[in-house]
Amino acid sequence: MSNPGSIDISGEPAVITRSQHPVSRANISPNALKVLYRLRDAGYQGHLVGGGVRDLLLGREPKDFDIATDARPEDVRRLFRNCRLIGRRFRLAHVLFGREVIEVATFRALQESPDSEARHVDEDGRVVRDNVYGTLEEDAFRRDFTVNALYYNINDFTVIDYAGGVDDLKSGVLRLIGDPETRFREDPVRMLRAVRFATKLGFRMHPDTERPITRLAGLLGDIPPARLFDEMLKLFMGGCALGNFEALRHYNLFGQLFPQTEQSLTHEEQHFPLTLISHAMENTDKRIAENKPVTPAFLFAVFLWQPVRERAALLEAEGMHPAHAMQHAGSQIIAEQASTMALPKRFSLPMREIWVLQLRLERKGGRRSLRALAHPRFRAAYDFLLLRAQAGEVPEALGQWWTEFQEQNPQQREQEVTRTRPKQRRRRRPRRRTSGGES
Ligand code: ATP
Ligand code: MG
């Protein structure tokens, strides 16, 4: 390759025959095969593309199967009863088989088209509308990375490679197709995708792909909060949270997603928030590897904990009651985060509960421990407390106490509650005489 920054887009593609590649129909989802065959039988081209081909070539299990075709979305809908057309920026067909969704996209071009009606670029170079149908070749060059632009042709089981993706797969290189800066400006989310794929595949970025990222990181500021939320889920709920966290920070991208967290990390004391986050990322990856459930609420609670603590401390210093301060700080930090990244209520409510429960868990013993234990969010709050203990923010013994308390039978718990009953409360009896006590 003479000029690694640009790729020859006029040449013939490399065609890898069935005997030269390991992609086998046995490893392709039967539903994806059904779609491919039906397209073929109706006289259309049908290719498996993207992560499906890439992962099969690497001997990995694909997450999902995407299909590219010369059939228009309306044609695809006619062929499949179980099909729905989606997408505003470009229209896609989703063919539904129970919980499995096969995404079928019509070949698109991303060349500068003479009539700029169909494709529109804003002043940063970002593509805001992009609905030009094209050929297979054009479709290959509008994709992001060379390793994502490989097509498995259902007609003859060959793999079609226009952009040099097979070589890059072999050498473990993640390389943007075309001029990197132009491609990042067209769609800044590609910077997050670059990090995600490099981490997941264990690839290194090509230097030309890597170089502009830190400088262009700020372009993510223009991405709609809902899209950033989707990307954040892929980055942190895909089994490589720790690697992605570290890489995102390295490229100055993390602060684009979590500005308040980044700020608290830059003035961290005794490595505390960094340790907390790293441990949480590690645990998340472990849980995913063990097929245990993870929730974005917990991740958000972790990322925003330090900003919330700092805000709560300020409010307390102004005389607010600690529990109220925590509530208010939580609301404020969540509102600020939501201006960058969407944060659906179904996650923001439980994360606030996790935070507020921390205050209750910090005071072990007495009746209130039983009430905390019965709280629907106890388990998440307890896991959170353990993380804090691990990071040195609260004593290990506190986490230990809650661990043992949970493991006890009701009788033992009753004894423990009596034994640890707070002294001052005993003096306050009979209860009726006290007024305005909390809990
Ligand atoms: P995975 O599904 O394993 O996360 P993938 O490569 O399949 O990885 P998808 O987000 O499912 O990623 O996208 C499917 C394909 O669509 C990609 O492989 C790529 O070819 C193309 N693509 C997706 N997003 C972009 C983008 N922002 N710019 C250019 N091409 C893209
Ligand atoms: Mg995919």
Side-chain angles (χ1 to χ4, degrees):
M1 179 133 319
S2 53
N3 179 0
S6 67
I7 282 163
D8 179 15
I9 55 171
S10 56
E12 289 296 304
V15 176
I16 300 100
T17 58
R18 177 62 190 93
S19 59
Q20 296 167 296
H21 69 70
V23 178
S24 151
R25 274 165 292 162
N27 298 323
I28 299 173
S29 135
N31 293 325
L33 287 173
K34 253 186 242 170
V35 175
L36 288 169
Y37 288 139
R38 186 156 325 159
L39 285 168
R40 180 195 64 187
D41 294 346
Y44 296 109
Q45 295 185 54
H47 302 265
L48 199 65
V49 67
V53 185
R54 178 196 70 216
D55 291 348
L56 288 175
L57 283 169
L58 288 171
R60 302 170 64 110
E61 194 188 330
K63 198 178 87 216
D64 47 36
F65 292 91
D66 300 311
I67 288 173
T69 180
D70 56 351
R72 298 291 166 96
E74 312 80 59
D75 303 328
V76 178
R77 185 162 57 184
R78 264 195 294 281
L79 284 177
F80 300 94
R81 268 194 312 121
N82 48 335
C83 174
R84 150 184 105 187
L85 300 188
I86 60 137
R88 277 173 298 141
R89 218 180 112 200
F90 28 77
R91 288 172 83 206
L92 295 170
H94 274 179
V95 188
L96 313 170
F97 299 89
R99 293 181 57 184
E100 188 177 15
V101 179
I102 306 294
E103 191 167 287
V104 184
T106 305
F107 295 149
R108 288 202 306 274
L110 198 58
Q111 262 78 35
E112 221 49 72
S113 64
D115 69 304
S116 50
E117 266 297 282
R119 179 164 183 244
H120 187 76
V121 177
D122 72 7
E123 62 271 23
D124 282 336
R126 192 159 61 102
V127 178
V128 285
R129 189 148 40 84
D130 152 31
N131 232 340
V132 200
Y133 296 125
T135 61
L136 170 60
E137 178 174 0
E138 288 168 324
D139 192 72
F141 289 108
R142 64 102 190 155
R143 291 185 179 269
D144 46 9
F145 303 100
T146 62
V147 296
N148 283 352
L150 296 166
Y151 295 76
Y152 172 77
N153 184 352
I154 200 63
N155 268 319
D156 56 8
F157 315 123
T158 56
V159 168
I160 302 171
D161 178 9
Y162 276 98
V166 169
D167 283 346
D168 282 344
L169 266 188
K170 282 188 187 140
S171 40
V173 171
L174 190 73
R175 181 198 319 247
L176 266 178
I177 297 173
D179 172 58
E181 175 153 353
T182 309
R183 302 306 310 280
F184 283 138
R185 285 185 179 278
E186 279 171 4
D187 181 4
V189 167
R190 287 175 187 147
M191 294 187 273
L192 300 177
R193 291 174 61 85
V195 165
R196 179 159 65 87
F197 291 127
T199 308
K200 162 173 155 165
L201 305 172
F203 280 22
R204 65 199 148 77
M205 286 186 210
H206 189 282
D208 293 346
T209 296
E210 182 177 35
R211 200 172 299 114
I213 294 185
T214 303
R215 180 166 48 87
L216 300 179
L219 293 175
L220 283 169
D222 294 331
I223 301 299
R227 188 161 180 225
L228 284 191
F229 176 74
D230 291 345
E231 288 304 317
M232 116 99 192
L233 292 187
K234 292 184 197 163
L235 284 159
F236 295 107
M237 312 269 293
C240 299
L242 182 61
N244 283 330
F245 170 68
E246 287 169 351
L248 288 171
R249 287 208 77 213
H250 174 77
Y251 293 110
N252 278 354
L253 292 167
F254 184 75
Q256 298 297 321
L257 301 179
F258 292 97
Q260 305 176 94
T261 312
E262 181 57 40
Q263 222 199 336
S264 70
L265 285 168
T266 46
H267 67 250
E268 65 173 354
E269 291 158 36
Q270 300 167 328
H271 297 293
F272 152 67
L274 186 61
T275 313
L276 180 90
I277 294 174
S278 304
H279 283 311
M281 300 295 103
E282 238 166 51
N283 290 355
T284 306
D285 291 341
K286 199 158 153 264
R287 289 182 68 89
I288 288 171
E290 293 166 354
N291 271 322
K292 290 188 188 159
V294 289
T295 161
F298 194 83
L299 287 178
F300 272 107
V302 166
F303 282 136
L304 298 178
W305 176 236
Q306 183 66 10
V308 165
R309 283 177 77 218
E310 288 169 15
R311 186 68 56 89
L314 278 178
L315 295 173
E316 269 188 65
E318 290 167 12
M320 203 181 271
H321 182 279
H324 291 159
M326 186 65 89
Q327 288 277 7
H328 277 270
S331 306
Q332 291 175 4
I333 299 295
I334 286 172
E336 283 163 40
Q337 175 64 29
S339 68
T340 308
M341 184 190 292
L343 216 174
K345 276 243 160 45
R346 67 179 186 284
F347 302 128
S348 63
L349 291 179
M351 61 198 262
R352 290 168 54 145
E353 289 179 315
I354 292 173
W355 291 334
V356 171
L357 272 168
Q358 295 311 300
L359 295 181
R360 289 169 64 179
L361 298 193
E362 280 168 24
R363 299 160 65 196
K364 63 180 194 217
R367 290 263 141 227
R368 70 164 87 85
S369 316
L370 282 175
R371 285 195 296 275
L373 193 62
H375 192 286
R377 208 63 63 193
F378 171 80
R379 187 64 212 197
Y382 160 74
D383 285 340
F384 198 90
L385 185 79
L386 290 189
L387 270 178
R388 294 172 63 207
Q390 214 181 356
E393 189 205 332
V394 292
E396 293 271 0
L398 181 66
Q400 191 63 33
W401 186 86
W402 281 102
T403 306
E404 284 160 16
F405 190 58
Q406 281 177 86
E407 287 162 358
Q408 288 168 350
N409 63 36
Q411 211 181 343
Q412 291 171 315
R413 267 188 217 146
E414 197 55 46
Q415 282 167 6
E416 180 67 9
V417 163
T418 316
R419 190 182 69 76
T420 54
R421 192 176 344 175
K423 286 198 181 72
Q424 92 218 61
R425 289 184 66 86
R426 231 181 288 172
R427 266 192 275 124
R428 272 205 222 148
R429 278 186 188 170
R431 254 211 193 136
R432 240 167 254 146
R433 257 193 260 146
T434 58
S435 63
E438 108 291 7
S439 90

